[in-house]
Amino acid sequence: MARTAEPAATGVVRVRVPERGLRQDLRAVKIVLHRELIRFWRDKLRMVSGLVQPVLWLLVMGTGLSNLMASGGGTAGTVDLKTFIFPGVCAMSVMFTAMFSAGSIVWDREFGFLREMLVAPVSRSAIVVGKCIGGALVATLQGAVIVLLAGLAGVPYDPLLLLEMLAIMFLGAFALTGFGVMMAARITSMQSFFGLMQMAMMPMMFLSGALYPLSGLPTWLTVLTRFNPLTYAVDPLRHAVFTRLDVSPELMRTFDPGVTWGGWVVPIWLEILIVLAMGAGLMGVAIWEFRRAD
């Protein structure tokens, strides 16, 4: 009797902390992922604004360049420039959405919600994994809207092609979200994060081959494109599109030259593995950063 009354007499309240385990971590991943989807669905302005720039690239720039190249003659008149840049526009749409999804971490830190998640009885790695998968899924859903515009770019509505593109886009979004989460782990203001992201996204976009073929570039520019993770997401997307088109081998070599390392053409399966490995590595660095965070 004395033992049970002692806590009441001394005013000490026992607190039972749930045990940590794989089940709790998986539940945390699910909750964080679900939160990302809810946040994306409720922010209609974000959904619409995320489509403006890719549509402008595809319909305005693609149409303008197509008319210019057609008037100049050459092989470019045979392949619509909108068809060529369509895979790159899909990749860019995913990149922008994935990067800004990672920025929600900085937002949560400013308003104190991130600290509440970090003190929860789950591993911090579960929070990072949920953020990366949730951001990748949100970016893929945004990119799926651009994929539905394939007919406007002269790309056939092949169900297998659309599924293949969505799968590659998800892997690319996963890698890019991991990069964004890694950068957001130590940034404390939204202004600094978006400034850094803009500085990183523009070179990644222009050095990925999204708007021009990677063959025939100067040596210094070729080296930069090979170190760009977005390059290995754009090339499989373009290869998937051009294999469904009725084009000559000469045009295929011109518009879909592939990625080469010292003259060796990198296989598509290896490019996909590179994107997956980059995503896993960047997520691992982000987990390490969050474990060091206060």
Side-chain angles (χ1 to χ4, degrees):
M1 296 292 295
R3 290 184 178 180
T4 57
E6 183 179 359
T10 58
V12 178
V13 179
R14 295 182 180 180
V15 178
R16 182 178 180 273
V17 179
E19 297 181 359
R20 295 187 178 184
L22 179 60
R23 182 178 178 181
Q24 287 75 16
D25 289 342
L26 292 177
R27 184 171 180 268
V29 171
K30 178 183 176 181
I31 292 174
V32 174
L33 189 154
H34 190 218
R35 180 173 179 265
E36 292 296 315
L37 292 176
I38 293 176
R39 172 182 288 179
F40 174 72
W41 179 253
R42 290 181 176 177
D43 194 351
K44 298 298 191 297
L45 180 60
R46 173 188 170 189
M47 296 171 62
V48 175
S49 61
L51 297 174
V52 173
Q53 190 170 9
V55 170
L56 288 176
W57 281 101
L58 180 62
L59 299 182
V60 178
M61 182 179 177
T63 302
L65 289 179
S66 295
N67 294 334
L68 176 63
M69 298 304 293
S71 63
T75 58
T78 308
V79 176
D80 195 335
L81 262 295
K82 293 195 297 293
T83 305
F84 174 77
I85 68 173
F86 177 72
V89 170
C90 292
M92 289 189 295
S93 173
V94 166
M95 178 184 68
F96 291 127
T97 307
M99 290 292 195
F100 288 117
S101 295
S104 63
I105 291 180
V106 183
W107 182 273
D108 291 338
R109 178 181 285 113
E110 286 188 346
F111 286 88
F113 184 76
L114 180 62
R115 182 174 295 276
E116 295 180 7
M117 290 194 296
L118 294 178
V119 299
V122 294
S123 65
R124 296 188 176 186
S125 59
I127 299 174
V128 175
V129 172
K131 281 284 186 180
C132 290
I133 298 178
L137 186 57
V138 165
T140 305
L141 292 175
Q142 184 83 34
V145 180
I146 303 299
V147 172
L148 294 178
L149 302 178
L152 299 178
V155 177
Y157 285 107
D158 185 343
L160 292 179
L161 170 61
L162 300 182
L163 290 176
E164 186 176 347
M165 292 186 68
L166 290 176
I168 297 173
M169 289 165 61
F170 177 80
L171 292 179
F174 175 71
L176 293 168
T177 307
F179 175 74
V181 172
M182 179 190 68
M183 300 300 294
R186 290 289 177 176
I187 299 177
T188 57
S189 72
M190 292 295 294
Q191 291 81 0
S192 300
F193 177 80
F194 286 125
L196 183 61
M197 286 298 101
Q198 288 290 344
M199 185 177 64
M201 285 190 297
M202 295 305 291
M204 289 176 64
M205 181 182 70
F206 285 108
L207 294 174
S208 65
L211 303 176
Y212 52 83
L214 295 178
S215 59
L217 298 177
T219 303
W220 66 272
L221 195 56
T222 300
V223 173
L224 292 177
T225 59
R226 299 314 186 260
F227 283 98
N228 184 4
L230 193 61
T231 299
Y232 301 98
V234 172
D235 189 61
L237 287 172
R238 179 163 292 128
H239 182 76
V241 169
F242 271 78
T243 53
R244 267 78 172 190
L245 300 178
D246 185 16
V247 296
S248 64
E250 291 78 14
L251 290 175
M252 182 70 75
R253 287 191 294 268
T254 300
F255 290 97
D256 185 28
V259 178
T260 58
W261 293 344
W264 177 65
V265 180
V266 182
I268 297 300
W269 64 266
L270 182 56
E271 292 181 345
I272 294 175
L273 284 180
I274 290 173
V275 175
L276 182 60
M278 285 184 176
L282 292 170
M283 186 177 66
V285 176
I287 291 173
W288 179 71
E289 288 284 347
F290 265 85
R291 287 177 176 174
R292 293 177 54 214
D294 297 331

